[in-house]
Amino acid sequence: MNDHPFTDADFRKSDRSGDYGCVEAAITHHTPNIIGLRDSVHPYQTVLCFSPREWTAFTAGLDEF
């Protein structure tokens, strides 16, 4: 049994990513205060976890690109 908090998560990819590999993000009912981020090309590998504060800082930094 896999009890990883993002096992059954509904990861979503940005609409801007098109058909290319990208990252996907998810929040689950198991971990409402943790945002999971994974590589869409390798979805069964490592999931990075962000607190809401870290996620806000991360996404704010993306606007600079």
Side-chain angles (χ1 to χ4, degrees):
M1 178 177 172
N2 190 349
D3 60 354
H4 188 281
F6 292 98
T7 298
D8 296 325
D10 184 18
F11 278 86
R12 298 185 183 264
K13 188 166 60 167
S14 170
D15 292 337
R16 294 186 200 179
S17 65
D19 294 331
Y20 299 103
C22 196
V23 295
E24 301 172 316
I27 301 172
T28 72
H29 68 276
H30 300 290
T31 57
N33 293 318
I34 300 174
I35 296 90
L37 192 69
R38 71 180 185 186
D39 181 350
S40 65
V41 176
H42 304 286
Y44 299 107
Q45 291 185 3
T46 302
V47 175
L48 300 176
C49 296
F50 293 86
S51 71
R53 186 175 180 180
E54 292 168 328
W55 181 252
T56 298
F58 174 74
T59 57
L62 294 176
D63 290 336
E64 297 177 13
F65 288 98

